[in-house]
């Protein structure tokens, strides 16, 4: 029987960092498209971005963080 190939821990990508890097643009997109900044955008933003896209992007990043935390604790 062949053993499963396991990457060394130094080369294993960190899902927690990936999740944080996905959550950051989601927060920035929501901040500027929601009108929370004092800056006026040069083009109108579709409300679908504020209502659906940025929260889904944020939640997907949060899911990666939670998944990374549980796989990190498992090892």
């Amino acid at each position: 029987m062949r053993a499963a190939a396991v990457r060394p821990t130094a080369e294993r990508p960190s899902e927690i960092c990936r999740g944080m890097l996905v959550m950051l643009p989601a927060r920035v997109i929501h901040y500027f498209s929601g009108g929370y900044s004092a800056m006026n955008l040069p083009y109108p933003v579709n409300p679908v971005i504020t209502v659906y896209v940025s929260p889904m992007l944020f939640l997907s990043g949060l899911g990666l963080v939670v998944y990374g935390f549980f796989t990190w604790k498992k090892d």
Side-chain angles (χ1 to χ4, degrees), residues 36-58:
Y36 298 113
S37 67
M39 185 177 77
N40 291 329
L41 296 176
Y43 52 88
V45 178
N46 194 350
V48 172
I49 292 175
T50 307
V51 175
Y52 295 111
V53 175
S54 63
M56 286 303 293
L57 189 61
F58 183 82

Side-chain angles (χ1 to χ4, degrees), residues 6-74:
V6 177
R7 285 192 244 168
T9 56
E11 294 180 12
R12 186 176 303 162
S14 174
E15 299 298 329
I16 297 172
C17 291
R18 282 186 190 174
M20 292 292 205
L21 286 174
V22 169
M23 290 167 62
L24 178 66
R27 292 173 57 180
V28 170
I29 289 169
H30 189 77
Y31 180 75
F32 285 109
S33 66
Y36 298 113
S37 67
M39 185 177 77
N40 291 329
L41 296 176
Y43 52 88
V45 178
N46 194 350
V48 172
I49 292 175
T50 307
V51 175
Y52 295 111
V53 175
S54 63
M56 286 303 293
L57 189 61
F58 183 82
L59 291 175
S60 64
L62 185 64
L64 276 173
V65 169
V66 170
Y67 172 74
F69 178 72
F70 282 120
T71 56
W72 175 61
K73 283 295 191 184
K74 182 181 168 186

